[in-house]
Amino acid sequence: MSKILKSTALILFLAAVSANLHAGKPEVHALKCEHLVNPLALNTTSPRLSWKIVSDEPGQYQSAYEIIVASSPTLLEPGKADLWNTGKVESSQNILVPYNGKKLTSRMRCWWKVRTWDKNGKASKWSETAFFETGLPEPSNWTAEWMRTTMPFDEYSYPALLFRKEFDVNKEIDHARLYITSLGLYQFYLNGETVGDKLFTPGWTSFQNRILYQAYDITQLLKAGRNAAGIMLGNGWYRAFYPNNRKEADIDHLDVLGQIEIMYTDGTKQIIETGNDWKSSTGPIRKSEIFFGETYDARMEQPGWNSYGFDERKWTATTVANQPKNIITAPDAPPVRRINEIRPAGVIITPEGDTVIDMGQNMVGWCRISVNAPAGTTIRLKHAEVLDKEGNFYTENLRRAAQEISYTCKGGGPETWEPTFTFMGFRYVKVSGYPGEVTPDLLTGIVLHTDLERTGSFSCNSELINQLQHNIIWGQKGNFLDVPTDCPQRDERLGWTGDAQVFAPTASFNMDCAGFYTEWLKDLAADQHDDGAVPHVIPNVLGRGGAHGWADAAVIVPWTVYRYYGDTAILRQQYESMKQWVQYMIGEAGETYLWKPTSRQFGDWLAYATTRSDYPGATTDKDLLASAYFYHSTHLMHQVATILGKTRDAQTYKELMKKIKSAYKDEFITPNGRLASNTQTAYVVALTFGLMPEEMEAGAAKRLADDVNKFGHITTGFLGTADICHVLTKYGYLEEAYMLLYRKDYPSWLYPVTKGATTIWERWDGIKPDGTFQNAGMNSFNHYAYGAIGDWLCRKVAGIDLHPEKPGFKHFIVKPHPFGEMNDVKASHLSPYGEIRSEWSVKDKRMQLKVTIPANTTAEIYVPSTGTGLVVDGKKLSVGGKGLSVDGKERNIYGNSVETLEITNAPGTDYHYLKLTKGSGKYVLEAEFKSDL
């Protein structure tokens, strides 16, 4: 490695020169309430409000704001707002401002808008109007009764249920809402129309502790006179087969609870409730299973069943079910929706003679089928992720998940249909039973996942790495369907905590996950055992837990949400759960302060293994990892307690940290700095978590780099992979980090790409170099854990990085790490404050770095260089004599800022950094770059 230049500081007078998103004064936009856009049902009566600011003026920031909230749009004016008017508040805060107006009650729609003042004291225009609506926070708000059918069923997998009820509307409607939940999955209809576009409602939670409900504005769907409501109910996650815990026979009923509330202009109210006065039947969905698929017989459709005037005399009565109302709560996360449509890439006839449609992308969702066939024709679709070595359809890795769709035609003309209560993980679809020629237009792929706003992007000059980034995104799309699952295809699809915690930083860069993780963490706390142990999967369907690196999600994921979104509420919400998990480890470790677990542990899951005697595998001792995570979670708890002002707890955790670190050193670190497990993961974890004594850090980093060079590749599993390149970069081994990134042979991130992967694999060698498969019992081709490298690509290669002490990107870092053939890097992140961009390229011995800093934020910019001069937006800046020389004249360019330029180290490279701090704006920075990389 080349020498490291010594740090020196120089004074630079540099003005902000930029062209931002909009002309004119700062504008306020992107209003959100509790991370959501215009939410209809809130869990709180003290919601937090956020907005973004855009401006074309450099260095612009918010000096004050004014929020007004009213019960009607007509009152949404200063002096008229009847719920809250903050007046002018001198503050730069524009995210998560708590509502502090008149007390809010259930079912209230609140209209709001905001204006801000800029750094010059000038007021913006008022924002566009947004709203939020409180829901049904108390059990007494639910006047309806849980309802179930009285129809008996002999088999576990019975048809989807239909419910209907007619009612009259005889007055002028002011507004109307539907509040509904179910045990099972529901779809609601009014007058033949599907209500809303949400899918897989009410969602998957810890059903014995929490049941979600949804609210819908149905004002426009009601008609004067006779109306009809319909409900379709499928098994979903409530009555599902789960591995190792087959309790489906214990649940023999699906139940639904809902109420339509109509407010009339005369002030009266009408409520239509579920109960024993509805009718029930079955329809064309003969079976619906999360893992096994759906069977639909179009001949058994009951046309008009969800419209008024339908003959229901053959339908069966309903009855009231005894289910709780005190655990019903509104969701914090966006719903699952149809997100994309994919046209097939082509049709394949396999060597075994199967007709297979290739979607061209490993996806999660289902296919819409468009057919014209005689009545009674049954078309079957089987779904798979890959073809085998010979090109045949391969499903062995699905285990017992059938992933099969069966559609029986009613005949009489073209038919278009798609499933309702199931989803598949697949790229290939085997078609059988279709009487005509199978062409690509038979199917359309419908991509489903939780509707999270896309916030991150990354690209560079390598198509292989761009495909890797594509695979990371699609792995997240496929596994963020209501909960963060490990895989979306086999008979598992569970919310594994270890996978979730290692991927959380990458996920939070790519998409707005604040509400998504907030929701999931509530279930984690709800399912946590009394002794503090955290189950392996959330929601918990596997029983016991308490595994290091997995259960630590209880601490790590809330911390990640706080870091990315600046949300201290998640720390308060989860504090007791976090504390209980650390307390569990304290009990396990005892007075030794070393956790040597006896319960089932996963360790560095799926780490590299080999039978070569000269290059042994990479198994890291589980007690070493367990004690490391004990320290890490304790360290995070010290920081969390400090942030929340819990000084006594903070001191307790600080003292505990010292004891764990001392015990760890005595037990696992030799006097010359070698770890008991001499593996890449062991050194990555020890250096990431701060367990190595300071004087031993450099030696430990060298041991890690030496091991990387010895093997020539990565050997880490789930727990080591996320941070290995971060550690190598930090300690001056950038060459090794890039070597791991660019490697194309097994094991590596690019090896699956060379094999045609379109998502991240569970194993480094899901498809072996000889074309055969890994163990079919555990070989998912859509598994996001190894996609955690995305965090390094965005934060270190592109350089958009969190500040270690300032969360939420209020103040952040832009610090690219160029090396080797990497070039033409472009990345963006839509932070809570606005879009951050970093684009860099090297050409003709010049580094060009383009940076966008959103209004109301500041950033430390590090420009890689081998010189001491900068060109900023065409202005030549250099240091000479006593001060700054700009175009040959010593002066402050615009007379409005004084900033410091420093030369700082870039360990392990032939260049250094020119560091400066800037306010908002768009900047083009150029510097000498003669590094021989």
Side-chain angles (χ1 to χ4, degrees), residues 150-365:
T150 58
M151 290 184 293
F153 294 99
D154 296 329
E155 296 182 3
Y156 157 66
S157 184
Y158 54 71
L161 300 172
L162 305 179
F163 299 87
R164 71 181 312 275
K165 179 183 174 65
E166 295 189 12
F167 58 95
D168 293 314
V169 173
N170 296 321
K171 299 180 185 180
E172 184 179 355
I173 298 174
D174 181 78
H175 65 274
R177 300 288 182 268
L178 164 67
Y179 303 100
I180 182 171
T181 185
S182 60
L183 291 169
L185 299 178
Y186 74 81
Q187 193 164 85
F188 198 92
Y189 305 86
L190 265 179
N191 299 318
E193 299 290 332
T194 303
V195 174
D197 60 357
K198 302 172 183 177
L199 301 174
F200 298 98
T201 48
W204 187 15
T205 56
S206 173
F207 294 121
Q208 69 274 24
N209 298 302
R210 301 175 65 250
I211 303 171
L212 300 181
Y213 76 94
Q214 283 74 37
Y216 300 87
D217 185 344
I218 57 171
T219 308
Q220 301 303 316
L221 293 176
L222 293 171
K223 301 176 181 179
R226 198 70 169 165
N227 289 258
I231 303 171
M232 183 158 56
L233 206 56
N235 286 327
W237 293 284
Y238 183 64
R239 296 185 75 245
F241 162 87
Y242 295 109
N244 306 322
N245 192 25
R246 303 174 183 85
K247 294 184 177 180
E248 64 270 15
D250 296 340
I251 300 172
D252 56 2
H253 284 283
L254 301 177
D255 301 325
V256 61
L257 172 72
Q259 55 198 55
I260 294 172
E261 300 188 358
I262 306 172
M263 292 298 299
Y264 293 110
T265 55
D266 64 2
T268 59
K269 182 178 183 179
Q270 179 184 2
I271 304 179
I272 296 91
E273 305 164 336
T274 53
N276 58 10
D277 57 347
W278 290 54
K279 294 291 186 178
S280 62
S281 183
T282 60
I285 298 181
R286 309 313 297 166
K287 290 183 179 181
S288 68
E289 304 280 355
I290 288 290
F291 299 107
F292 301 121
E294 197 160 287
T295 299
Y296 189 97
D297 190 339
R299 298 170 301 176
M300 301 188 72
E301 293 175 348
Q302 299 196 48
W305 72 271
N306 49 19
S307 300
Y308 70 90
F310 176 79
D311 184 358
E312 62 182 33
R313 288 176 294 177
K314 294 183 180 180
W315 282 41
T316 304
T318 58
T319 188
V320 171
N322 182 23
Q323 298 287 5
K325 296 181 182 178
N326 63 342
I327 60 174
I328 300 173
T329 183
D332 296 284
V336 177
R337 288 191 172 99
R338 297 170 178 84
I339 304 298
N340 306 107
E341 293 192 2
I342 293 181
R343 302 300 302 173
V347 178
I348 301 167
I349 305 299
T350 70
E352 292 180 349
D354 292 325
T355 300
V356 175
I357 293 181
D358 177 9
M359 304 307 296
Q361 170 66 50
N362 196 9
M363 56 171 281
V364 174

Side-chain angles (χ1 to χ4, degrees), residues 707-726:
D707 195 78
V708 168
N709 287 315
K710 180 185 77 171
F711 279 98
H713 60 72
I714 198 168
T715 64
T716 55
F718 280 23
L719 297 185
T721 296
D723 291 314
I724 187 169
C725 285
H726 281 293

Side-chain angles (χ1 to χ4, degrees), residues 437-730:
E437 179 186 0
V438 174
T439 59
D441 58 4
L442 179 70
L443 303 179
T444 301
I446 309 298
V447 178
L448 313 174
H449 59 80
T450 298
D451 192 6
L452 303 179
E453 182 180 14
R454 179 76 179 273
T455 56
S457 68
F458 175 90
S459 66
C460 66
N461 62 331
S462 167
E463 288 306 311
L464 289 177
I465 294 173
N466 290 342
Q467 182 65 44
L468 171 64
Q469 172 67 11
H470 170 96
N471 295 0
I472 292 168
I473 295 294
W474 277 84
Q476 183 171 349
K477 286 161 68 82
N479 282 291
F480 274 41
L481 196 154
D482 213 61
V483 302
T485 57
D486 60 328
C487 61
Q489 75 297 92
R490 67 186 180 217
D491 58 345
E492 191 168 355
R493 312 184 192 189
L494 302 177
W496 283 95
T497 48
D499 306 50
Q501 69 92 355
V502 298
F503 190 69
T506 301
S508 298
F509 189 95
N510 291 337
M511 299 179 187
D512 183 352
C513 298
F516 181 78
Y517 282 133
T518 298
E519 186 72 64
W520 183 71
L521 286 167
K522 287 182 177 179
D523 284 302
L524 185 150
D527 277 340
Q528 194 167 5
H529 299 292
D530 291 342
D531 62 359
V534 176
H536 302 319
V537 299
I538 303 295
N540 181 22
V541 296
L542 295 185
R544 193 58 181 165
H548 67 271
W550 270 250
D552 294 277
V555 177
I556 295 170
V557 177
W559 178 252
T560 302
V561 173
Y562 163 73
R563 295 278 294 128
Y564 270 84
Y565 306 103
D567 189 353
T568 55
I570 192 69
L571 303 180
R572 289 191 293 270
Q573 170 189 301
Q574 297 299 124
Y575 189 76
E576 288 304 315
S577 169
M578 300 161 80
K579 191 174 181 178
Q580 288 171 22
W581 167 241
V582 173
Q583 194 62 42
Y584 173 84
M585 290 188 285
I586 291 172
E588 288 285 294
E591 295 182 357
T592 67
Y593 300 103
L594 295 170
W595 181 21
K596 298 186 177 182
T598 57
S599 59
R600 185 187 181 192
Q601 304 289 310
F602 303 104
D604 191 29
W605 190 248
L606 296 182
Y608 174 74
T610 179
T611 57
R612 289 180 57 181
S613 59
D614 55 337
Y615 282 80
T619 301
T620 306
D621 291 342
K622 293 177 181 178
D623 55 348
L624 179 149
L625 289 172
S627 293
Y629 270 94
F630 182 21
Y631 177 83
H632 183 50
S633 285
T634 303
H635 184 200
L636 293 182
M637 284 303 295
H638 166 65
Q639 296 179 76
V640 171
T642 302
I643 291 164
L644 298 181
K646 299 179 182 292
T647 54
R648 182 176 297 180
D649 282 358
Q651 185 61 33
T652 298
Y653 291 125
K654 185 176 182 179
E655 294 171 0
L656 179 59
M657 285 168 55
K658 294 178 182 177
K659 294 174 181 177
I660 300 170
K661 187 171 183 177
S662 176
Y664 184 93
K665 177 179 178 293
D666 292 343
E667 182 76 7
F668 300 115
I669 306 175
T670 67
N672 66 352
R674 189 179 190 274
L675 286 171
S677 292
N678 195 40
T679 65
Q680 292 176 19
T681 290
Y683 289 105
V684 167
V685 167
L687 289 166
T688 300
F689 295 170
L691 280 160
M692 296 300 299
E694 185 175 357
E695 68 275 10
M696 292 183 174
E697 285 185 10
K702 185 179 185 302
R703 289 179 186 275
L704 169 62
D706 288 346
D707 195 78
V708 168
N709 287 315
K710 180 185 77 171
F711 279 98
H713 60 72
I714 198 168
T715 64
T716 55
F718 280 23
L719 297 185
T721 296
D723 291 314
I724 187 169
C725 285
H726 281 293
V727 172
L728 289 169
T729 301
K730 177 181 178 180

